[in-house]
């Protein structure tokens, strides 16, 4: 069964608008971590933001925030004031306990920012 | 501080050939990982190494071997390449403290097996 689901294969967003990228996850462990990575066309994987399952507040890193809804098992990435440089693939990943920090990855969402 | 480096950047192999993908990190990290990325899919873990001298299988280890000879280097070997191993290969190391440890990636190696 899919443990990480990203339901949006692709998205077009107007520059300067906010964008939400969806991610749902499946785990029975109470302790886990959720990650978002960006992969621009150049190919490298860039860490954006982390949310721990016990964190009381939603994580934020600059223009990135994570809308963490534990009961719904969702961890959506919100990018405020999108920029042309935000065009990239975005991956959601989960780490379960006792996994030696292995990550389970979603299939990704391709985001294109229109000028 | 070069971070995580991978060599080569690109490689073309013929079916049955062997090769080793090299990965090195200069951040004194204990844990290192090898992933493959195929079109339309997320990354899949091939092997990982929690510390120097230890290695463990990930989700898709068949057709690969790894070596963690020292803390810096973690190599991935294809003994007899197959077209199904055409992919982009990423190496990563684990950085940070406590529950917030994150994986830090190298630039990737694009491999084409004909």
């Amino acid at each position: 069964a899919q443990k990480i689901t990203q339901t949006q294969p692709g998205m077009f967003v107007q520059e300067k608008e906010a964008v939400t990228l969806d991610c749902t996850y499946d785990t029975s462990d109470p302790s886990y971590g959720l990650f978002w990575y960006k992969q621009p066309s150049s190919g490298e994987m860039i860490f954006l933001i982390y949310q721990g399952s016990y964190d009381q507040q939603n994580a934020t890193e600059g223009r990135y925030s994570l809308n963490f809804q534990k009961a719904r098992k969702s961890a959506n990435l919100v990018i405020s004031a999108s920029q042309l440089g935000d065009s990239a693939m975005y991956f959601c990943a989960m780490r379960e306990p006792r996994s030696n920090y292995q990550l389970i990855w979603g299939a990704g969402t391709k985001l294109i920012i229109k000028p | 501080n070069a971070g995580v480096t991978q060599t080569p950047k690109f490689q073309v192999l013929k079916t049955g050939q062997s090769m080793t993908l090299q990965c090195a990190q200069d951040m004194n990290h204990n844990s290192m990982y090898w992933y493959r990325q195929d079109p339309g899919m997320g990354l899949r873990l091939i092997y990982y190494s929690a510390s120097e001298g230890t290695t463990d299988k990930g989700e898709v280890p068949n057709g690969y071997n790894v070596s963690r000879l020292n803390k810096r280097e973690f190599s991935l070997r294809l003994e007899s390449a197959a077209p199904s191993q055409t992919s982009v290969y990423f190496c990563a190391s684990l950085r940070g403290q406590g529950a917030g440890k994150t994986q830090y990636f190298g630039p990737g190696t694009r491999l084409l097996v004909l």
Side-chain angles (χ1 to χ4, degrees), chain B residues 61-75:
Chain B
N62 290 346
Y64 305 95
N65 284 302
V66 290
S67 294
R68 183 81 183 272
L69 298 175
N70 52 57
K71 197 169 187 178
R72 285 189 69 249
E73 298 168 299
F74 187 36
S75 60

Side-chain angles (χ1 to χ4, degrees), chain A residues 69-90:
Chain A
Q69 299 189 39
K70 201 168 181 176
R72 299 176 66 178
K73 293 189 175 179
S74 76
N76 298 339
L77 177 71
V78 179
I79 306 174
S80 63
S82 58
Q83 302 170 358
L84 296 178
D86 294 332
S87 294
M89 285 289 292
Y90 288 82

Side-chain angles (χ1 to χ4, degrees), chain A residues 3 19 22 69-70 77 82 85 102 104 112:
Chain A
K3 289 209 166 188
V19 55
D22 296 340
Q69 299 189 39
K70 201 168 181 176
L77 177 71
S82 58
Q102 294 177 52
I104 303 165
I112 296 174

Side-chain angles (χ1 to χ4, degrees), chain A residues 6-74:
Chain A
Q6 295 182 251
T7 56
Q8 307 150 309
M11 286 185 71
F12 286 90
V13 172
Q14 201 68 39
E15 189 181 8
K16 299 180 185 175
E17 289 183 351
V19 55
T20 297
L21 304 180
D22 296 340
C23 173
T24 58
Y25 59 91
D26 182 28
T27 181
S28 56
D29 273 300
S31 175
Y32 51 89
L34 296 157
F35 300 78
W36 278 92
Y37 281 81
K38 173 183 179 182
Q39 186 177 39
S41 57
S42 51
E44 71 268 33
M45 297 292 289
I46 303 167
F47 166 70
L48 295 178
I49 196 166
Y50 162 78
Q51 179 85 43
S53 59
Y54 292 123
D55 292 343
Q56 294 296 313
Q57 303 209 351
N58 287 345
T60 60
E61 289 285 350
R63 292 187 299 113
Y64 304 109
S65 61
L66 205 151
N67 183 2
F68 183 44
Q69 299 189 39
K70 201 168 181 176
R72 299 176 66 178
K73 293 189 175 179
S74 76

Side-chain angles (χ1 to χ4, degrees), chain A residues 37 39 50 95 100-102, chain B residues 33 37 42 45 99 101 103:
Chain A
Y37 281 81
Q39 186 177 39
Y50 162 78
R95 183 183 67 222
N100 281 306
Y101 295 94
Q102 294 177 52
Chain B
Y33 307 81
Q37 183 181 29
L45 183 67
K101 288 184 179 179
Q103 292 189 16

Side-chain angles (χ1 to χ4, degrees), chain A residues 43-45, chain B residues 3-6 23-24 89-93 104-109:
Chain A
E44 71 268 33
M45 297 292 289
Chain B
V4 178
T5 58
Q6 291 183 237
C23 173
Y89 291 85
F90 286 99
C91 177
S93 66
Y104 183 76
F105 284 81
T109 293

